[in-house]
Amino acid sequence: MGRTISGALIGLVCTLIFYFIPLVNSVAPFLGGLLGGYYADGGPGGGFKAGILMTIFMIIPGFLLGGILGVVLRSAPVLGGFIAASAFIVTVVIVAHTAIIGIIGSVIGALFAERKKV
């Protein structure tokens, strides 16, 4: 279980780093999940667990930052409520994108690690 948690944290950190690189940011969750799943090295099940944990670790700061942004911009005149609601929607979309693509990358990374042993 320790390698699964470590793999999830490695995947999360790599994903966050890759999000800042232009043209790579669209596949950042896949690459982060690939590296995290490869490190977790527990077959497809271990890769899936690492991807789920990576998603859970990504949800927490994502919703905290989206919530802070929504609270700060809620009191803005004219469009404040619209901006606050759209901050929540954008956060949900980004977390969903990270979850789906990251889990797929994590499972593929774990399959690569499993194949390396043969």
Side-chain angles (χ1 to χ4, degrees):
M1 186 67 179
R3 284 189 69 92
T4 304
I5 293 173
S6 298
L9 290 174
I10 288 171
L12 175 68
V13 169
C14 290
T15 299
L16 292 175
I17 290 170
F18 289 144
Y19 266 137
F20 289 106
I21 302 172
L23 300 177
V24 176
N25 58 5
S26 60
V27 293
F30 180 78
L31 295 174
L34 191 74
L35 294 171
Y38 189 83
Y39 182 80
D41 193 21
F48 184 73
K49 288 178 190 175
I52 293 292
L53 281 173
M54 185 179 89
T55 301
I56 291 170
F57 293 152
M58 185 66 146
I59 287 172
I60 296 167
F63 278 109
L64 285 176
L65 291 174
I68 290 170
L69 182 66
V71 168
V72 168
L73 295 176
R74 183 181 61 198
S75 61
V78 183
L79 295 176
F82 176 73
I83 292 172
S86 59
F88 176 75
I89 292 170
V90 167
T91 303
V92 168
V93 169
I94 289 173
V95 168
H97 171 261
T98 301
I100 294 168
I101 305 297
I103 290 171
I104 292 170
S106 185
V107 170
I108 291 173
L111 287 173
F112 282 157
E114 187 176 70
R115 189 167 181 171
K116 172 188 72 164
K117 292 179 184 176
V118 173

